[in-house]
Amino acid sequence: MAHKHIVYMMLVDSASKARDLGTILEYAPLLEELAARDNHKPYMAICHRAYGVAHISRQEFDKSEARLTQALDIFASLEMDWQTGRTLAELGSLAQAKKDRLEAHKHLSKALELFENIGAEPDIKWIREALTEIGMI
């Protein structure tokens, strides 16, 4: 039987990728509480990233940047390259929402480099498509 924190992490992470604001807002607080209690840095970073995605959808760009930067700092410090790349991609999404193509390109290019280094083919394709959308590839 999966523990609650694992279930919450999977729900929050999947909701973040799917841009499912309702699920993020329902389960991220539960995951955040458990991650804080257990000092579980990766799960806390997943919460930060999910909240960052939620803030993008609400056009709360400063709040989004703060949360995404917190997630990025945690994942980078733990040398979790795939998670770091995913978070950089979300910073790219934030920049796109702010209509800042150069900033989007910067974050997406860094994400692409990380994904290429670890051979994350589906993510490489995803980032190349995002770069094409903004006319930077």
Side-chain angles (χ1 to χ4, degrees), residues 13-89:
D13 199 36
S14 296
S16 177
K17 187 89 169 152
R19 302 298 197 256
D20 180 347
L21 184 61
T23 301
I24 292 170
L25 296 177
E26 182 175 352
Y27 290 102
L30 301 172
L31 178 60
E32 188 170 39
E33 180 183 333
L34 291 174
R37 182 195 74 193
D38 297 342
N39 193 30
H40 197 291
K41 291 178 183 181
Y43 287 1
M44 185 59 75
I46 287 169
C47 274
H48 288 310
R49 184 173 58 216
Y51 279 123
V53 167
H55 289 305
I56 291 170
S57 72
R58 294 176 163 181
Q59 297 188 344
E60 298 168 341
F61 298 142
D62 290 341
K63 289 179 181 180
S64 176
E65 184 172 6
R67 285 290 194 148
L68 291 171
T69 299
Q70 287 177 299
L72 182 66
D73 290 345
I74 293 169
F75 287 135
S77 74
L78 296 173
E79 298 180 358
M80 298 177 75
D81 290 345
W82 183 66
Q83 294 287 7
T84 300
R86 288 188 56 206
T87 306
L88 285 164

Side-chain angles (χ1 to χ4, degrees), residues 5-18:
H5 61 284
I6 295 170
V7 173
Y8 294 157
M9 180 276 300
M10 291 176 8
L11 286 166
V12 169
D13 199 36
S14 296
S16 177
K17 187 89 169 152

